[in-house]
Amino acid sequence: MVDLLKLKDKNIVVMGVANQRSLAWGVAKSLFAVGANVIFTYRKERSLARIEKLLADHDYEAKLIVQCDVNEDESIHKAFNEIGEAVGTIHGVVHSLAFAHAEDLRGDFIDTSRSGYAFAQDTSAYSLVATAKEARPYMTDGGSIITMSYLGAERVLPGYNVMGVAKAALEASVKYLASELGQDNIRVNAISAGAIRTLSAKGVPSFNTILNQIEEKAPLKRNVSQEEVADTSLAVLSDLFRGVTGEIVYVDGGYNIMG
Ligand code: 1JT
């Protein structure tokens, strides 16, 4: 199985580990399990400390850990330059980042401020474009870029508001990037994860209701786990998905197909 994936000794950049519940941490664990070299980026010092503790607790060793603030072009440039200098070739990137102001994730969408809208787009959608641009020069063997999306990109989910619009832009960006990077044998796909209790989900008032509705309605009659999202992510990063690009892959127990 590990041989079919062809991820052993490949250099994969994982962006967006905030704590052990992060989808990015789940992907990192799956990557370690198949012998990939994992390179982490973090923004806040607190996240660096958490990553270092998680690595120590699991007896994992990161190939490299670098600071990267995706709201700053220069920071992304420096981070990927440092990664490229250290490892030579980058084979994959896991973009698992999103942010919006708390006040824009409740109340009415129509009340979204200009700055809150721009901030959500910049952090959650443009960051993928800027990251792909900086990673590309080092992805000389081809490779796979994945990002995390959510059903709110295509359906109105009460409260998701400005993030839904940002995820819609993210999914469209996946398709435009896929069309341009295909010539370099770089695939770009999104994982549309079901609702999972991560740090981002904290403070979402109706989250329990959302989880209960999914249990009732999803074909698999249950919610999905961080591990399930991670293993699908591993598959999409791997050689098993070598013919797939520009796709939105749902890991949601089938919830998205229901009317
Ligand atoms: C962000 C947040 C991105 C929460 C997110 C997210 N993607 C999924 N969630 C969880 C969620 C949130 C809402 C929801 C369903 C799922 C918070 C910080 C900014 C980025 O409502 C239907 C509101």
Side-chain angles (χ1 to χ4, degrees):
M1 183 62 188
V2 170
D3 290 314
L4 289 173
L5 298 177
K6 296 193 183 163
L7 283 166
K8 193 173 175 333
D9 298 324
K10 295 285 163 60
N11 302 317
I12 314 291
V13 181
V14 175
M15 314 173 79
V17 177
N19 65 25
Q20 64 171 359
R21 291 188 166 189
S22 297
L23 299 182
W25 176 246
V27 182
K29 283 192 289 183
S30 293
L31 287 167
F32 280 121
V34 298
N37 298 324
V38 186
I39 299 129
F40 293 91
T41 75
Y42 68 93
R43 182 168 63 99
K44 295 188 255 177
E45 292 301 320
R46 198 194 317 152
S47 301
L48 171 63
R50 292 222 176 106
I51 292 168
E52 284 174 335
K53 175 143 190 349
L54 286 170
L55 291 168
D57 288 350
H58 289 80
D59 230 341
Y60 293 144
E61 206 167 320
K63 183 85 178 169
L64 189 68
I65 311 180
V66 299
Q67 218 249 334
C68 182
D69 178 351
V70 295
N71 293 109
E72 301 291 339
D73 288 336
E74 191 51 33
S75 175
I76 306 172
H77 180 73
K78 276 173 80 175
F80 276 87
N81 189 51
E82 187 181 340
I83 295 166
E85 292 284 309
V87 304
T89 308
I90 296 173
H91 301 98
V93 179
V94 178
H95 173 281
S96 184
L97 312 154
F99 208 60
H101 297 309
E103 66 263 29
D104 292 325
L105 283 164
R106 54 181 66 105
D108 291 341
F109 173 68
I110 202 170
D111 294 323
T112 307
S113 67
R114 188 179 295 273
S115 68
Y117 186 102
F119 178 68
Q121 287 284 334
D122 187 42
T123 313
S124 312
Y126 183 74
S127 63
L128 178 71
V129 183
T131 296
K133 189 179 174 77
E134 296 298 338
R136 184 189 201 176
Y138 302 104
M139 296 184 77
T140 47
D141 282 353
S144 176
I145 299 174
I146 65 167
T147 186
M148 297 298 172
S149 193
Y150 186 56
L151 186 60
E154 52 174 304
R155 306 254 188 96
V156 174
L157 304 182
Y160 203 56
N161 297 4
V162 75
M163 269 316 298
V165 178
K167 292 299 191 187
L170 178 70
E171 292 187 4
S173 301
V174 162
K175 297 173 193 180
Y176 280 91
L177 289 169
S179 82
E180 290 177 4
L181 298 184
Q183 59 187 316
D184 296 342
N185 197 29
I186 300 170
R187 301 181 294 106
V188 188
N189 294 285
I191 306 293
S192 186
I196 295 187
R197 210 177 272 294
T198 65
L199 190 61
S200 286
K202 251 193 183 155
V204 176
S206 52
F207 208 71
N208 276 333
T209 317
I210 294 168
L211 293 176
N212 289 335
Q213 279 171 359
I214 292 167
E215 273 187 21
E216 273 172 35
K217 211 168 153 188
L220 294 185
K221 300 290 171 226
R222 63 173 177 83
N223 283 285
V224 294
S225 65
Q226 181 203 44
E227 286 73 21
E228 288 173 310
V229 172
D231 286 342
T232 302
S233 300
L234 194 74
V236 175
L237 285 168
S238 82
D239 201 58
L240 292 176
F241 264 64
R242 63 193 176 278
V244 179
T245 194
E247 212 53 60
I248 315 299
V249 181
Y250 293 86
V251 188
D252 67 346
Y255 184 73
N256 74 93
I257 69 170
M258 302 304 290

